[in-house]
Amino acid sequence: VSPENGDRENDLTQIFTWAQPEPDVTYWIQIDNEAGFSQPYANENLAVTDNSYTHTFSRNGTYYWRVSARDAAHNWSTWSENYELTIIALPGQPTLISPTDGMKDNDNTPTFMWTPGSNADNHRLLVDNDNDLSSPEENVLLEPSISTYTIATENSLPDGSYSWKVIAINEAGENESTVWKFTMDTVPPGVPALLAPENGDTVRENTPTFDWSDVSDPSGVNYTLEVAVDNAFASIVLSKTGLTPSSYPPTATESLQNATYYWRVRAIDGAKNAGDFSPVQWFVVNTLA
């Protein structure tokens, strides 16, 4: 009954229906991409209890289908005539994976990853420093099985803001992913200036607050603080990473013994570029005087 012989449909999911010859029968449906129905079939089911069957195709193409009926005595009828069906459906929408939307990256040959659009014959990757992707830096046509692409060294991306998307393509048309943005930043942040304890200070508490100047960076920054008992920092007694204020008050469990200490700070930006450590300063903890 339907789809009718010779139909052209634009949906991968089809409901096959046929006339019911008599009640209480079981049906055997075969669907194949060859009119001669050579195994393996695209799909078949020998235990359909209703006179309809739903099947979702994985790809566009021309298919053939037929049905046989079995009565309560297990007698199979001859096959129905073969019906031809052509599926021409748009591809599914690709889903972007990486670089994530809003990501800051310091690798200017990034790897792009996505989930392919179903039923696609190809995918096109577009990367552009314009939001409209009208003049892409990368415009690559890829086979449908490929879902990752790495920028070649000779095409490395300069620092800046970029947009990217993937387009699934087949003979029926195109289906675009959403557009994601990322920032390329390969420049490390500046060097903080140490403020307190001042160089050569003697402090009268075991948990002195360390303070340093703010560093400005377009990608944002966090700080790493190191305190050691030697100026080569071979014996570090306090190490804190990911600090967002430009100061740190040690906790009671991090209290310092009476001794001479050396300290330094470095800034790390949102793209994971690490700046140089500040010049080392020293101070003395003496709570006995």
Side-chain angles (χ1 to χ4, degrees):
V1 175
S2 67
E4 294 183 3
N5 193 23
D7 264 5
R8 297 170 69 86
E9 299 288 344
N10 60 7
D11 195 329
L12 290 172
T13 299
Q14 293 293 314
I15 300 175
F16 298 87
T17 63
W18 51 89
Q20 187 170 8
E22 58 185 81
D24 301 322
V25 298
T26 300
Y27 301 99
W28 180 3
I29 183 171
Q30 289 184 339
I31 305 169
D32 202 16
N33 55 5
E34 295 181 353
F37 289 88
S38 301
Q39 290 185 320
Y41 307 118
N43 184 260
E44 72 170 335
N45 192 319
L46 290 79
V48 181
T49 57
D50 198 3
N51 61 324
S52 70
Y53 180 74
T54 300
H55 175 64
T56 299
F57 294 89
S58 61
R59 299 193 62 79
N60 288 344
T62 297
Y63 298 91
Y64 305 86
W65 67 287
R66 63 185 182 180
V67 179
S68 176
R70 186 187 70 184
D71 62 21
H74 293 264
N75 299 301
W76 284 104
S77 73
T78 57
W79 288 105
S80 67
E81 61 179 305
N82 297 352
Y83 266 24
E84 179 182 297
L85 167 66
T86 299
I87 303 291
I88 307 178
L90 285 171
Q93 183 182 39
T95 302
L96 305 185
I97 298 175
S98 180
T100 55
D101 196 22
M103 179 178 177
K104 299 176 178 64
D105 196 1
N106 63 5
D107 179 3
N108 56 10
T109 57
T111 296
F112 296 86
M113 298 177 62
W114 60 92
T115 300
S118 59
N119 189 37
D121 292 332
N122 297 100
H123 289 91
R124 185 176 298 280
L125 168 67
L126 298 176
V127 183
D128 198 354
N129 55 8
D130 292 324
N131 291 337
D132 60 6
L133 292 114
S134 59
S135 54
E137 311 295 313
E138 288 285 334
N139 182 347
V140 187
L141 187 65
L142 302 165
E143 295 180 1
S145 60
I146 296 176
S147 58
T148 181
Y149 180 81
T150 301
I151 300 289
T153 302
E154 60 269 21
N155 296 328
S156 60
L157 301 177
D159 284 8
S161 298
Y162 293 88
S163 298
W164 74 287
K165 67 180 178 181
V166 175
I167 306 171
I169 305 167
N170 68 16
E171 61 181 324
E174 300 180 349
N175 198 348
E176 299 184 358
S177 71
T178 56
V179 176
W180 278 5
K181 298 180 180 180
F182 66 95
T183 299
M184 189 60 57
D185 177 7
T186 60
V187 179
V191 179
L194 304 187
L195 302 178
E198 292 184 10
N199 200 34
D201 261 3
T202 296
V203 297
R204 303 300 182 183
E205 58 178 315
N206 298 112
T207 57
T209 296
F210 295 91
D211 191 22
W212 56 91
S213 65
D214 290 322
V215 172
S216 178
D217 190 277
S219 297
V221 296
N222 62 79
Y223 302 96
T224 295
L225 164 68
E226 292 183 350
V227 182
V229 294
D230 64 301
N231 60 9
F233 288 82
S235 299
I236 295 175
V237 296
L238 179 62
S239 177
K240 304 300 292 186
T241 60
L243 301 175
T244 49
S246 55
S247 64
Y248 182 73
T251 64
T253 59
E254 298 168 335
S255 62
L256 304 175
Q257 302 298 316
N258 289 343
T260 299
Y261 295 93
Y262 302 84
W263 71 293
R264 63 186 182 180
V265 176
R266 78 190 310 176
I268 300 172
D269 67 20
K272 299 181 180 179
N273 298 298
D276 292 334
F277 272 108
S278 65
V280 176
Q281 292 190 175
W282 65 277
F283 65 96
V284 175
V285 173
N286 185 351
T287 60
L288 302 177

